[in-house]
Amino acid sequence: MSAYLMNTYKRLPVAFVRGEGAWVWDESGKRYLDALAGIAVNGLGHAHPRLVAAIADQAAKIIHTSNIYRVLEQEQLGEKLAQLSGMDNAFFNCSGAEANESAIKLARLYGHQRGIELPTIVVMDRSWHGRTIATLSATGNRKAQAGFEPLLGGFARVPFDDLDAVNRVAENNANVVAVLVEPVQGEGGIQIPEQRYLAHLRELCDRKEWLLMLDEVQSGMGRTGKWFAYQHTRVQPDVLTLAKGLANGMPIGACIARGAAAQVFGPGNHGTTFGGGALICRTALTTLAIIEDEGLRERAQTLGERMLAAFRQELSGIDGVREIRGFGLMFGIELDRPCNELVKSALEAGLLINVTYDNIVRLLPPLIISDEQADAIVSILSPLIRDFIKR
Ligand SMILES: *Cc1c(COP(=O)(O)O)cnc(C)c1O
């Protein structure tokens, strides 16, 4: 541990120095199977040769200019994402929090343009939108918020997957301009709403002229078997935010809008120094091309079903295992007790996993894993969970 770094992370005592596909190696040469992908970032795994070549090529041409000039790679990425998402235009920055920050600013400006002086955004319990003051205020996690008061106003919080609660806000609060929601809650423990949830929110937003803003920072980029999780439904959002898997580890965020929402910002309303640079956008474009050319959405779907079935076979019915949830390559195995120590025992066994909300084992493996690697994740982790519960 370094005394020269602020103490913001309780880090595991391991550093990875090299990776290849779903494998990473630590300083001592020990190999690990990566079932977390840098928290849904490295969808293509590590050191994908085509991505490495594109990054090297672009770095040798031009890395960054400024958004005061045209950036051709940014224009191409905006167009490509519009095609894939059915949206109209994009603003690029450098992280998920910034993408959501952009969405929050967009919704507020949209409200003011419609004469609403104190625009309010409906947000959810257990949600995660980032750690800037605005996104932390939107986030439904008291632990993360504690100590950073005063938080920002302008948010109305309701339980996730509870339409009655949103309807009550609609009846009582004339300042609402938007709903911000994850189609699948990631940090909240892979919480999957009932099937018609998004469609109902869409109907309500249409009726009230609210913006439906979907945070797909974690669930986007092919992870659930479609480019975006909402594409499993017939719902189209007004605003979509992306980040994690979009450039496979290069810092990027995107706030993507459609219809009226796409016309809200004008010159001078919003900006960024680094966002949308040539190198990052070329990396994202190449990431999208690889996901497409290697059929990785289909793989995410097939492997997701295979792993979910295998986990259910290994773990369901066991006392202490409350629920096993999966949506493509997002898995949450909820236990009845805190299980953070499983991260360490998995690490010892050569497997990278995560625990969220203290009692939910979360897996977000890269989309490029092989059948054998997928099976290995299940066969390494399941006995660890069984042994942990027995102790
Ligand atoms: C990780 C995450 C964020 C925050 O992204 P950062 O890049 O860490 O700022 C926002 N929303 C969701 C759904 C996330 O999973």
Side-chain angles (χ1 to χ4, degrees), residues 237-253:
D238 300 296
V239 175
L240 168 68
T241 57
L242 303 174
K244 292 192 164 91
L246 181 51
N248 208 57
M250 293 290 234
I252 188 170

Side-chain angles (χ1 to χ4, degrees), residues 317-332:
I318 292 178
D319 255 359
V321 178
R322 266 202 203 139
E323 198 174 25
I324 304 164
R325 298 183 287 272
F327 190 1
L329 287 176
M330 304 178 85
F331 304 97

Side-chain angles (χ1 to χ4, degrees), residues 95-97 100 128-130 182 187 215 217-218 244:
S95 68
N100 287 323
W128 189 268
H129 301 297
E182 296 156 86
E187 301 302 304
D215 179 349
V217 167
Q218 191 160 149
K244 292 192 164 91

Side-chain angles (χ1 to χ4, degrees), residues 122-124 158-167 169-170 178-183 193-214 235-238:
V122 177
V123 293
M124 307 299 156
V158 295
F160 182 61
D161 200 13
D162 182 342
L163 286 164
D164 293 340
V166 190
N167 286 330
V169 173
V179 176
L180 174 61
V181 60
E182 296 156 86
E194 61 103 356
Q195 239 193 338
R196 293 266 307 148
Y197 183 57
L198 284 189
H200 282 296
L201 288 179
R202 178 71 271 175
E203 284 162 26
L204 181 64
C205 288
D206 285 342
R207 186 151 51 76
K208 305 293 287 185
E209 295 189 315
W210 297 351
L211 301 177
L212 179 61
M213 309 203 296
L214 298 184
V235 168
Q236 189 69 27
D238 300 296

